[in-house]
Amino acid sequence: MPESETDLIDYYPPGWTEQIHDDYLVEWVYDSDSSIFIRLDGTMGDADYTVMAITGVNSDGEEFVTRPVSGLTREPAFEFAEALVYSLNGAIGRISGEPEFNGGGNR
């Protein structure tokens, strides 16, 4: 597992790239499709971090954004971003049929 360069996340799943733009803006990008990523944005202030999952970009460059979660402080924002990265990673792995994510049972 790649080691995070952030101070609040230890590791993130293989197949993702961590892009640290500055102390307040970090993205984790899915390597197989760079239009899928998690953005952590603290540029509005220390008590107003926003975390969102972007699940694609259309031909006009508009991002398909899930409902952003805002008003977070730094530590909970990083915890939520980490949970989203692992959640998307697991969902993508399951849908794409990767054995690691498919225990044989269908629900």
Side-chain angles (χ1 to χ4, degrees):
M1 255 189 227
E3 190 169 346
S4 175
E5 296 295 322
T6 69
D7 58 345
L8 292 170
I9 294 176
D10 293 328
Y11 299 95
Y12 56 92
W16 292 76
T17 299
E18 182 177 74
Q19 298 178 352
I20 300 175
H21 302 284
D22 60 38
D23 287 342
Y24 299 98
L25 184 61
V26 182
E27 295 175 333
W28 292 269
V29 181
Y30 184 56
D31 292 342
S32 295
D33 183 345
S34 63
S35 70
I36 298 173
F37 57 99
I38 304 300
R39 178 179 293 144
L40 180 145
D41 184 347
T43 58
M44 297 302 288
D46 286 338
D48 195 13
Y49 277 76
T50 298
V51 178
M52 66 188 81
I54 291 85
T55 57
V57 179
N58 70 16
S59 60
D60 293 330
E62 299 169 322
E63 297 171 339
F64 300 124
V65 179
T66 61
R67 181 181 174 270
V69 175
S70 301
L72 300 170
T73 57
R74 184 172 175 82
E75 190 170 339
F78 273 87
E79 289 173 359
F80 185 57
E82 182 179 29
L84 281 175
V85 170
Y86 278 96
S87 296
L88 267 179
N89 188 63
I92 291 167
R94 179 131 175 108
I95 290 168
S96 63
E98 293 179 33
E100 172 184 359
F101 299 99
N102 289 290
N106 290 326
R107 293 184 179 207

